[in-house]
Amino acid sequence: MAEKDIICIVSSQYKAVFLKINSSTTILDLKFDAAEMLDLPYESLILAYEDQTVGSLKFLIENDGDLTSMVEHCHNLGLKEVHVQAFKEGDDSSNKQENEQVRQDILKSKSVDCGPSALLTTSVPDKNPNDNPSGDDVMTIDDMISRSERIPAWWHTALTGEGQRFESAKELRLALLYYSMAKKFEYEFGKNEPKRIRVFCWFKAAKNCPWMLFASPPKNDNRLEIKKFVDNHSCGQHDNNAGQSRASRRFIATQLQPTLKVRPDIRPIDVQKEFLSSYGIRVDYSKIWWGKERAQEKLYGDAHESYDQLRWYVEEVKKTNPGSYIHVEQNEGRFTRLFICYAACINGFLYGCRPLLFLDGTFLKDRFKGILLSAVAYDGNQGIFPLAYCICDQENNVNWKWFLQGLWSILYERPDPYNPPHKLVIISDADKGIREAVREFFPDSIHSRCVLHLVENFRTKLKDLGFKSKDTQILGNLLQSACYKYTRAEWNDYIDDIRLVDERSYNIVMNYAPENLANAFFPGVR
C-alpha cells in the first residue's frame, strides 16, 4: 500500500504555504521549496517542527534524519498535517538558545587538540597588505578557503556520539562524509559492510591517532547504532584540503540539486568555483561534471532511458489524445527524428489562430545535443501558440523537409471538413534549408523573412565586405526601418539612403527580394 503524503504547513511571520512531504522527501527539497515560495534566503533558512501533542515543543529539522523522524512520528499519531516554522538564522527569539548552542558546539569542535600543525581556527585569518591606494587589506584565496563560516551547521553535528542511530549504512557513510569535511580530516574504513562499519583516522598507523568510530545494529533492530566513538585527533594533519578526497559524485549531486532548479544552465567550472569559495572544498573538474549529470538525472530523469521510452510514449499519446500526430523515425532501432503535434494544437490553430506560421530552430543542451525545430502560430490574443515541433540531429535541408512534410499532412490531409487557409504566411530566417522546404510543400504560401534575422544577416555580410562597425549599424537600422514602412514611397526613401552610403549594400538588400521582407510589398490581405 502506497504511503500517504502529509500536508506540511510551512509558515514565516504572516505568510504560509502548503507542501506535500513523505519519507522520501529530502531536507534539501523541503528547504528549497519553502525558501522559494516564502521568499527567504536558502542558505540561512532554519526549519522548526512544532509538536502540539507533547506540550508545544519545538524541534529543529536540520537533516534528512530529522525530517524522516518527523514524518514517522506523524504517521504513528495518525496526523494528516504538520506545522513547521521557517525563519532566517537568528531571527526567531524562541530559537536563539538552540542556535547559540549549535554555534558553541562548532566552536568547541574547532578547538580539538590536533597538534601544532592544525589549521582549524576560530579567529579571523591575518590579512596581507596590498598596493591599494586606500590602504585597505585583502585576504588571500587560502585565507578565504580556511574560513568555514558558510559550512552548514548540521555538517558539524552529523555525528553526535555513541547511541546515535541511522536507518542504513548508506546514511551513516553520508553523515561521516559531511562530518569529515566540516572537521577537515581524512579517514579510512577498517570494515565497510551493510551491518558493520569501523572507521579510523587516516593517520592511525603513521601517527597513532586515536580517532575512530564503530557502528553495528543493536539487538532486535535493523538500524545501525554507533557503539564506540572516539572524537579526538592527535595526528596534527588537518589542512584546508583534508576531508575532500571522498567528495563523491553522489555528494556533489546532492548539493547541486537545489541549484539546478533555479540555474539549470550552470557550468561545471562555475560549480567548482562555488564549492571552493562557499565551503573551501577543492573538487576535480571530472567529479563536478559527473556530479552534475547525476543531479540532472535525479531531477529530470535519465536522458538515455527517456529516448528508449519514446515508443511507449507514442502509443500512450494516440490512446489518450486521439487526433494527435506523433511519429518517431529510427534507423536500425536507433533514434533519429521525432515529430509531435497534439490534437488540441491542431484544432487551436485551425479554429483560433491567424494564418501565420513562424519557423525556427534552436540547440538542445542535454547529453545527446541535437536540434529542436518548431512551428508556432499567432493567436487572437496576440500570444504565441505552439503548433508542432521536431527533434533531430541537425538543422539542414533534409530535416526541414521532413518536418514541413509532417506539417502539410496535419493541415491538408485531415478528414475534418474544415479546410485551412490556402494562403499561409510563413515567416522564418530563410536559412539552412527552410526556403527550399517551404517552396516544395507550401508552394502557394507567402514566405517572408523575419526582419530581425534579416537585419542581422545583412550586417554580417557588410562586415565580411570590410564595412566599419558604425556603418554596419547605421545601414542595418535603415533596412529595419524600411521593412516596417507600409508604402512604397517610404520604402524607396530609406533604400535610396542605403544606396547613397554604398552601392554594394543596396545590391545586397535587393537580392533579398522586397516581397519577402517588406510590409510595402506584402502580397496578401493584412
Side-chain angles (χ1 to χ4, degrees), residues 8-19 34 37-38 83-84 86:
C8 181
I9 303 175
V10 185
S11 61
S12 173
Q13 296 180 355
Y14 59 90
K15 293 191 298 184
V17 294
F18 291 100
L19 297 172
M37 299 175 72
L38 295 173
H83 295 264
V84 171

Side-chain angles (χ1 to χ4, degrees), residues 59 101 110 152 177 183 324 361 407 409:
F59 303 92
Q101 184 62 44
K110 290 183 178 181
L177 176 62
K183 305 299 185 183
S324 299
L407 277 180
S409 298

Side-chain angles (χ1 to χ4, degrees), residues 253-311:
T254 304
Q255 301 303 311
L256 268 181
Q257 282 182 41
T259 303
L260 287 176
K261 288 183 178 180
V262 293
R263 297 175 61 190
D265 57 344
I266 188 172
R267 302 178 302 168
I269 187 66
D270 296 328
V271 176
Q272 190 179 37
K273 292 177 181 177
E274 289 191 15
F275 268 73
L276 183 61
S277 61
S278 296
Y279 305 127
I281 299 176
R282 300 179 187 269
V283 187
D284 293 339
Y285 181 89
S286 60
K287 279 189 177 181
I288 294 287
W289 193 91
W290 281 109
K292 182 184 175 184
E293 289 289 310
R294 180 168 289 188
Q296 288 177 324
E297 181 179 328
K298 184 74 173 179
L299 288 173
Y300 310 115
D302 182 26
H304 187 277
E305 184 179 349
S306 297
Y307 277 99
D308 190 53
Q309 291 179 344
L310 281 176
R311 292 184 292 268

Side-chain angles (χ1 to χ4, degrees), residues 4-5 7 153 183 201 239 258 269 278 281 296 320 380 384 391 401 526:
K4 292 184 179 180
D5 291 334
I7 301 299
K183 305 299 185 183
C201 175
D239 59 37
I269 187 66
S278 296
I281 299 176
Q296 288 177 324
T320 59
I384 300 299
I391 296 174
K401 284 186 175 181
R526 298 190 186 282

Side-chain angles (χ1 to χ4, degrees), residues 78-112:
L79 300 176
K80 296 182 179 179
E81 66 178 38
V82 60
H83 295 264
V84 171
Q85 278 191 342
F87 51 90
K88 293 190 293 184
E89 186 175 4
D91 284 355
D92 192 298
S93 58
S94 63
N95 285 277
K96 284 184 178 179
Q97 292 182 350
E98 292 96 328
N99 296 337
E100 184 62 29
Q101 184 62 44
V102 171
R103 293 191 189 94
Q104 293 300 326
D105 292 341
I106 295 174
L107 295 179
K108 290 179 182 178
S109 67
K110 290 183 178 181
S111 60
V112 175

Side-chain angles (χ1 to χ4, degrees), residues 185-219:
F185 70 93
E186 297 284 356
Y187 61 90
E188 62 178 347
F189 287 98
K191 291 287 184 181
N192 188 9
E193 301 171 353
K195 297 297 182 182
R196 185 170 55 170
I197 290 182
R198 191 185 301 274
V199 193
F200 301 100
C201 175
W202 186 270
F203 298 97
K204 172 179 171 60
K207 302 288 184 178
N208 198 27
C209 184
W211 190 96
M212 68 88 62
L213 178 146
F214 173 73
S216 64
K219 189 176 181 180

Side-chain angles (χ1 to χ4, degrees), residues 359-363 371-374 395 400 429 434:
L359 305 180
D360 205 355
T362 188
F363 295 102
I371 294 290
L372 176 71
L373 307 180
S374 63
E395 189 176 1
W400 271 115
D429 62 2
I434 299 180

